[in-house]
DNA sequence: GCCGTTTTCGGCCCGACTGTTTTCAGTCG
């Protein structure tokens, strides 16, 4: 799919136009389309071929032509031409915090800077300070921005699973001086990766809040300490945390506003305007009167909508659905009755079967799927047939001790280089269900091998179907659309692997799977009992993909396992 | 650049913070 490539180029065009001081609305038009293309589940190339490009709101004659040119030639002449008018490392320099297009242009025109190195040198010159609008502090801020950019470049956005505990700790720390407190932004929307983090609170003594915040033990540096907004960077992953203190009567409005997404809010504002209302982080206003603001429910109610779950707030049709009363009843965090993918200490996990079972009971589960690796995965302590049977006997023994929970004797079986499974069918038949996973040959006919695996009646689930690692790996060379198509055809479920660095399927692909009526199974891929708690992340992906309970094997349909053999 | 059950022209979300100014521009979210 070329969606993100094209989105990047359109954003690039917007960047240069901004640098040149072009019409802001024109710039926004490009940005809107870029964002939209990045988010839609459909393949932009297919939309183009079926003549449906113009159906995407925001794409008119011009941008449609740009997209067509990109699809045909791999680049856009307008963008090439624009780039020839700016410094050579323009694209990078635009990402430096505190340095916007206007300042960059000012420095470029006076000093002809070409690289970040040039920029650094120029900032040391006394002439720079004397430019109109420049000053000592501004120079220092840009220098800090460069520093931040260079350190952040390697790990720009961070996985939700990393950010959540960091934020939990800060929230706990701040609770002492706050009345209400909640994270907002992409973290509250449970996006798979998080940039900056916003925390919102109310308090009797605002001063106390700011003071406590900037003296948080994990603080690396303080960026701002205003009356309503303070920002710090914490040592933990160099995350930037913004804290806002608001009045109680605006808490709901602020929570709504700062949770975003930006696109969701813009749509909401447009609707407000149509109704002669004004919505801001302070509330919904009719003239001078605040008619809502204390709670989020109140705000959505004004516009004739039920509360939209934060995970859906991406302007992917949720506002229209809410108005029409057709918001789906997406899965809730406690709807999950078990975990399909847990490794025991028989292969490369470190927890015993009994420890896992106890943890599962504590989590309120009705079932768990114990999935150790198969024989070829030697690096992961894969079980040969004999060990597998030993493990299964042990499971039977533990199962008699804990009759309140169903323990599936399952396995994560390698899909081999030729598409065969790593155990013969008669062994697979001894298992309660089978997850088929690719662990080797990431570039070798992955799509065909997965299809062959799905055609096997013992393979119920395809594990981590794209193989991506958020922090470090692109994933397999796989045609995910084709995999989804065959999953539908063969009745095979696809996994949402909830391990924090995988989240695979992601929300966009899970949405596609939903459209084709493919069943989804969430598994944590836990290697110890602590990791079983990553289930939250998997459910978040499902929620963001608009999945209802009926689409997830984890809710009531787990009893149908093994789904294909039981058909 | 896009868009339109009042519009093919005239709109397009809006406020806070910072720093440089002395009323505002740039940046951010």
């Amino acid at each position: 799919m070329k969606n993100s490539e094209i989105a990047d180029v359109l954003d690039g065009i917007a960047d240069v136009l901004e640098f040149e001081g072009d019409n802001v609305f024109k710039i926004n038009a490009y940005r809107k389309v870029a964002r939209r293309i990045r988010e839609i589940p459909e393949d932009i190339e297919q939309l183009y071929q079926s003549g449906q490009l113009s159906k995407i709101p925001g794409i008119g004659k011009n941008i449609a032509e740009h997209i067509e040119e990109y699809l045909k030639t791999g680049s856009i002449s307008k963008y090439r031409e624009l780039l020839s008018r700016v410094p050579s490392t323009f694209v990078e320099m635009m990402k430096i915090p505190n340095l916007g297009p206007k300042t960059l242009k000012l420095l470029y025109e006076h000093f002809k800077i070409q690289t970040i190195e040039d920029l650094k040198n120029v900032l040391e010159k006394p002439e720079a300070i004397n430019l109109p609008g420049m000053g000592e502090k501004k120079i220092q801020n840009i220098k800090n921005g460069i520093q931040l950019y260079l350190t952040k470049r390697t790990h720009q956005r961070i996985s939700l699973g990393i950010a959540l505990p960091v934020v939990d700790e800060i929230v706990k720390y701040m609770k002492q001086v706050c009345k209400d407190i909640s994270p907002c932004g992409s973290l509250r929307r449970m996006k798979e990766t998080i940039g900056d983090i916003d925390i919102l609170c109310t308090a009797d003594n605002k001063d106390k809040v700011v003071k406590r915040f900037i003296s948080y033990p994990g603080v690396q540096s303080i960026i701002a300490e205003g009356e309503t907004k303070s920002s710090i960077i914490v040592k933990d992953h160099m995350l930037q945390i913004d804290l806002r203190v608001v009045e109680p009567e605006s808490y709901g409005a602020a929570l709504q506003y700062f949770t975003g997404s930006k696109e969701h809010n813009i749509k909401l504002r447009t609707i407000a305007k149509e109704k002669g209302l004004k919505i801001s982080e302070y509330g919904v206003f009719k003239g001078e009167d605040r008619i809502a603001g204390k709670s989020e429910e109140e705000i959505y109610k004004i516009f004739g909508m039920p509360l939209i779950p934060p995970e859906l707030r991406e302007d992917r049709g949720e506002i229209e659905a809410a108005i029409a009363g057709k918001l789906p009843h997406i899965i809730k965090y406690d709807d999950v009755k078990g975990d399909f993918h847990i490794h025991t200490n028989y292969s490369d996990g470190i927890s015993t079967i009994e420890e896992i079972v106890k943890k599962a009971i504590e989590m309120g589960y009705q079932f768990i799927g114990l999935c150790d690796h198969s024989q070829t995965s030697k690096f992961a302590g894969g079980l040969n047939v004999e060990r597998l049977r030993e493990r299964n006997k042990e499971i039977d023994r533990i199962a008699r001790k804990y009759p309140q929970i169903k323990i599936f004797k399952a396995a994560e079986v390698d899909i081999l280089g030729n598409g065969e499974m790593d155990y013969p069918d008669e062994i697979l038949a001894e298992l309660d269900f089978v997850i088929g996973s690719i662990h080797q040959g990431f570039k070798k006919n992955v799509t065909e091998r997965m299809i062959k695996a799905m055609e096997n009646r013992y393979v119920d689930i395809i594990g981590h179907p794209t193989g991506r690692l958020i922090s470090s790996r692109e994933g397999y060379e796989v045609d995910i659309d084709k995999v989804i198509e065959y999953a539908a055809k063969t009745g095979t479920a696809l996994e949402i692997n909830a391990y924090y660095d995988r989240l695979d399927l992601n929300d966009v692909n899970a949405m596609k799977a939903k459209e084709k009526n493919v069943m989804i199974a969430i598994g944590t891929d836990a290697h110890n009992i602590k990791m079983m708690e990553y289930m939250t992340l998997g459910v978040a992906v499902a929620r963001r993909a608009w999945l209802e309970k009926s689409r997830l094997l984890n809710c009531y349909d787990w009893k149908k396992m093994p789904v294909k053999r039981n058909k």
Side-chain angles (χ1 to χ4, degrees), chain A residues 312-487:
Chain A
L312 298 188
R313 300 181 196 170
E314 300 291 348
D315 190 22
R316 293 197 277 215
E318 73 281 3
I319 289 179
E320 293 81 353
I323 291 172
K326 287 181 179 163
L327 216 51
H329 297 284
I330 56 171
I331 180 177
K332 295 199 285 292
Y333 289 95
D334 56 5
D335 282 339
V336 166
K337 298 301 172 209
D339 184 339
F340 282 109
H341 192 163
I342 301 169
H343 295 263
T344 77
N345 63 349
Y346 270 78
S347 60
D348 61 347
I350 60 166
S351 301
T352 64
I353 295 171
E354 186 155 14
E355 283 166 346
I356 294 166
V357 169
K358 279 184 174 165
K359 173 75 176 178
I361 292 169
E362 184 193 311
M363 289 175 78
Y365 283 171
Q366 295 173 0
F367 78 94
I368 44 168
L370 298 182
C371 291
D372 285 295
H373 284 288
S374 58
Q375 47 200 358
T376 297
S377 278
K378 296 251 171 6
F379 61 92
L383 310 182
N384 59 26
V385 173
E386 198 183 328
R387 275 287 278 172
L388 179 70
R389 285 179 171 151
E390 243 173 71
R391 185 207 66 158
N392 288 350
K393 266 188 200 153
E394 170 74 0
I395 292 177
D396 284 336
R397 199 179 65 77
I398 302 282
R400 281 193 291 275
K401 202 167 158 191
Y402 299 95
Q404 67 268 53
I405 187 164
K406 170 71 186 175
I407 310 171
F408 285 121
K409 290 171 280 186
E412 182 181 22
V413 181
D414 273 34
I415 299 169
L416 300 176
N418 57 7
E420 307 264 324
M421 300 307 292
D422 193 20
Y423 293 129
D425 279 1
E426 57 270 27
I427 301 300
L428 297 180
E430 293 176 17
L431 293 163
D432 293 326
F433 70 81
V434 171
I435 297 180
S437 292
I438 299 255
H439 287 126
Q440 65 232 315
F442 293 176
K443 296 184 175 180
K444 199 177 144 198
N445 304 328
V446 176
T447 311
E448 291 73 19
R449 286 155 64 203
M450 277 192 188
I451 290 173
K452 191 165 175 193
M454 287 189 281
E455 281 167 348
N456 184 317
R457 65 188 293 254
Y458 297 104
V459 176
D460 300 289
I461 302 169
I462 294 292
H464 41 73
T466 77
R468 67 101 175 244
L469 293 179
I470 290 173
S471 65
S472 57
R473 196 167 77 198
E474 285 279 355
Y476 318 132
E477 278 180 12
V478 63
D479 182 345
I480 190 66
D481 297 327
K482 214 160 182 187
V483 170
I484 290 169
E485 185 191 323
Y486 273 84

Side-chain angles (χ1 to χ4, degrees), chain A residues 50-237:
Chain A
S50 57
Q52 290 183 308
L53 264 191
S54 59
K55 282 196 183 151
I56 298 177
I59 296 187
K61 187 171 165 288
N62 270 288
I63 295 185
E65 278 173 13
H66 291 331
I67 294 173
E68 179 175 12
E69 187 187 351
Y70 188 89
L71 289 172
K72 283 187 176 160
T73 69
S75 76
I76 297 175
S77 51
K78 180 183 172 115
Y79 186 45
R80 286 202 307 273
E81 195 236 321
L82 285 171
L83 279 181
S84 68
R85 305 208 291 254
V86 300
S88 53
T89 56
F90 173 82
V91 178
E92 270 204 288
M93 285 199 271
M94 281 299 290
K95 291 180 192 150
I96 296 172
N98 309 325
L99 176 68
K102 297 287 159 59
T103 313
L104 180 57
K105 188 176 188 197
L106 185 75
L107 293 171
Y108 176 63
E109 284 182 339
H110 279 83
F111 303 106
K112 292 285 161 233
I113 49 166
Q114 289 293 337
T115 64
I116 294 185
E117 210 47 44
D118 292 347
L119 174 64
K120 271 183 173 171
N121 293 333
V122 156
L123 292 176
E124 300 298 335
K125 292 186 180 172
E127 298 96 295
I129 292 196
N130 295 327
L131 289 175
M134 297 296 275
E136 214 172 301
K137 283 193 169 174
K138 200 158 178 179
I139 299 268
Q140 190 53 48
N141 277 337
I142 298 172
K143 283 186 189 170
N144 293 345
I146 295 174
Q147 193 61 42
L148 198 63
Y149 168 72
L150 293 176
T151 44
K152 263 196 170 179
R153 192 163 53 177
T154 40
H155 41 105
Q156 271 193 337
R157 285 183 74 83
I158 194 164
S159 172
L160 175 66
I162 299 274
L164 270 179
V166 178
V167 175
D168 275 351
E169 201 180 311
I170 295 173
V171 168
K172 220 181 275 167
Y173 167 85
M174 290 304 298
K175 260 192 180 145
Q176 279 194 23
V177 291
C178 299
K179 278 164 125 180
D180 302 297
I181 182 162
S182 167
C184 21
S186 50
L187 187 98
R188 183 157 178 255
R189 301 203 310 280
M190 300 290 268
K191 272 203 80 161
E192 61 195 28
T193 61
I194 308 295
D196 294 339
I197 290 160
D198 286 306
I199 301 175
L200 190 71
C201 71
T202 62
D204 291 327
N205 188 335
K206 288 188 176 185
D207 264 1
K208 238 175 158 176
V209 171
V210 176
K211 282 222 177 78
R212 184 169 171 83
F213 183 57
I214 60 174
S215 48
Y216 178 64
V219 74
Q220 162 80 30
S221 57
I222 298 160
I223 297 181
E225 38 177 318
E227 234 195 42
T228 62
K229 185 193 161 186
S230 319
S231 296
I232 57 171
I233 292 182
V234 294
K235 291 174 197 150
D236 232 342
H237 300 275

